Amino acid sequence: MRHFNYMIIFPTLYLLLIFSPVFAQTITGVSGTPSNGQNISITGSNFGNGPNVLLFDDFEGGVNGNPLATDLAPLGAWDSINSAAWTSYSNANAISGSLAARFDSYNYPPDNHPVIRVDAPTGFDSFYVSWWALIPTGDVIPGCGTPDGCNWKTIWIADNTGNVNDADITINSNGTRAWQIFGNDYPGVYSLYLKDPWNTNNDPSIGVAGVWHRFQFYIKGGATPETGYERVWLTTTTTRMMKNRAVATLTSADDTGKRRRFYVNGYVRNTPNSHPTFDDVYIAYGENAQARVEIGNASTYNGCGSLTMCTPTFWGTSSITCTLRQGNLTAGDAWVYVTDTAGNTSPGYRITIGGTMAPPGGLSTPAAFQLVQ
């Protein structure tokens, strides 16, 4: 008669239950045409409520060399452009397609640095923004080498009165190996650093030059750390960094609902040889802002070295229809992920990208990928 060692089996099952992932939502099917600009339908369960998507722009609607325009985004529209002559649709670098938004940081009109902005129709305390950003090879981060020092506010969120010092928050580069969450009206000017291992010499003259970074920035606003929350992901070809922190993201209850405006290339200092470049900008706001559909190049979400958006046109608890933005994904295997308002991400559902857009400088599945938390 065979005897089993239950003292071994039961602890093992217990550990499996503890460490097995629990998903709030599940994808059971995907139909449609999975290629750039086409709609796909996702079926499943527990998708929850969908986001208010304000804008998506891959900057493919422009003409190389022309100034940026407010009305050429495939989803939504920009409200205004500062110093338009210092902006352009550019084919010098792009993470998807052939064009990206390029800004010239040198000799722009005083107090009118080049920036493109969009306003939400109502005030909000929570938002989710994703974008790709690049300092081209051979360029410097804005401010580096000048008497005032390095200072590049990538995307800046504030109120819509023009007072960027009120309830403002941004992801900023100060030219070192760190990215900084910063706000002039942020409690204690709190900074959360994301160490950037690609600038191994910690040399501000090169900063992050030549490396595309995909930022994902989520804020749930609150006047105290118990009610506020921030989450940041930073992705390149070899590493995906993720930071989470419960922290006050509004200075007081008086700041509730004040945030209205998103600035892209939010602030630059007058700097020769500095051309910050942005691509695939996605902006959502409101309490469900974190809910989203993404397409990745790996079978686990945290293993994806490339993620791109699928912008929703319909969102129900058991079905979603969205427009696939192929980004830098090449034709072939890819995985669909649905994230709910609480930040829970479903297991990936495998699809085959049928498009042929192979972007210049696009990323491939990394051979050795590291997640840093």
Side-chain angles (χ1 to χ4, degrees):
M1 181 176 180
R2 182 174 297 175
H3 296 278
F4 293 95
N5 189 336
Y6 293 100
M7 295 299 293
I8 295 175
I9 293 174
F10 288 151
T12 301
L13 291 173
Y14 177 70
L15 289 173
L16 286 173
L17 289 172
I18 291 177
F19 293 107
S20 296
V22 177
F23 299 100
Q25 64 277 35
T26 302
I27 300 172
T28 57
V30 177
S31 60
T33 305
S35 60
N36 188 52
Q38 300 299 308
N39 288 342
I40 60 173
S41 295
I42 304 165
T43 55
S45 60
N46 300 319
F47 294 151
N49 297 317
N52 292 321
V53 180
L54 185 61
L55 181 140
F56 174 82
D57 201 350
D58 56 9
F59 304 101
E60 295 302 305
V63 175
N64 182 52
N66 282 4
L68 297 180
T70 59
D71 58 350
L72 297 179
L75 175 62
W78 300 97
D79 283 296
S80 72
I81 304 171
N82 287 354
S83 298
W86 278 257
T87 74
S88 66
Y89 295 95
S90 173
N91 63 8
N93 298 280
I95 196 67
S96 68
S98 60
L99 297 174
R102 179 179 168 100
F103 298 84
D104 188 348
S105 303
Y106 190 52
N107 277 346
Y108 54 81
D111 299 321
N112 199 27
H113 55 276
V115 62
I116 189 167
R117 70 168 178 84
V118 61
D119 291 352
T122 59
F124 57 84
D125 298 326
S126 300
F127 63 85
Y128 172 88
V129 191
S130 72
W131 70 95
W132 286 92
L134 172 75
I135 298 296
T137 300
D139 277 20
V140 298
I141 291 174
C144 289
T146 71
D148 292 328
C150 308
N151 190 346
W152 176 34
K153 294 179 175 62
T154 52
I155 289 188
W156 202 355
I157 298 94
D159 71 13
N160 68 335
T161 66
N163 179 12
V164 293
N165 297 321
D166 195 3
D168 70 308
I169 193 166
T170 181
I171 292 184
N172 181 68
S173 175
N174 59 8
T176 67
R177 287 181 59 191
W179 295 93
Q180 179 183 25
I181 297 178
F182 169 82
N184 294 299
D185 195 23
Y186 208 26
V189 195
Y190 169 76
S191 299
L192 174 64
Y193 284 89
L194 296 172
K195 292 183 179 180
D196 191 338
W198 300 278
N199 179 9
T200 54
N201 296 321
N202 201 26
D203 181 356
S205 67
I206 60 173
V208 290
V211 178
W212 279 103
H213 292 67
R214 184 185 190 243
F215 296 85
Q216 296 169 261
F217 187 21
Y218 169 68
I219 287 289
K220 176 184 177 183
T224 67
E226 291 75 25
T227 57
Y229 193 83
E230 62 188 21
R231 178 175 288 154
V232 182
W233 302 257
L234 184 60
T235 304
T236 70
T237 54
T238 58
T239 301
R240 187 156 191 261
M241 294 181 286
M242 179 173 60
K243 294 288 185 180
N244 301 286
R245 182 179 173 93
V247 62
T249 58
L250 300 171
T251 55
S252 69
D254 292 340
D255 285 334
T256 300
K258 277 190 176 180
R259 290 183 178 133
R260 288 281 302 276
R261 181 167 292 177
F262 297 87
Y263 299 89
V264 174
N265 197 44
Y267 177 84
V268 295
R269 285 179 171 158
N270 203 316
T271 312
N273 195 33
S274 180
H275 303 89
T277 302
F278 292 79
D279 212 346
D280 290 4
V281 176
Y282 169 95
I283 299 172
Y285 69 97
E287 62 179 351
N288 300 320
Q290 191 171 202
R292 61 191 183 273
V293 178
E294 293 167 286
I295 316 296
N297 67 338
S299 58
T300 63
Y301 186 74
N302 286 333
C304 291
S306 178
L307 282 162
T308 188
M309 306 305 300
C310 195
T311 54
T313 57
F314 171 82
W315 191 295
T317 58
S318 59
S319 65
I320 298 169
T321 302
C322 59
T323 305
L324 195 151
R325 313 296 180 178
Q326 189 171 329
N328 61 337
L329 291 174
T330 56
D333 289 343
W335 286 262
V336 179
Y337 296 94
V338 175
T339 298
D340 67 13
T341 59
N344 303 304
T345 300
S346 70
Y349 189 95
R350 185 177 176 179
I351 62 172
T352 300
I353 298 288
T356 59
M357 181 172 61
L363 309 180
S364 59
T365 305
F369 193 87
Q370 178 187 12
L371 174 67
V372 180
Q373 297 194 47

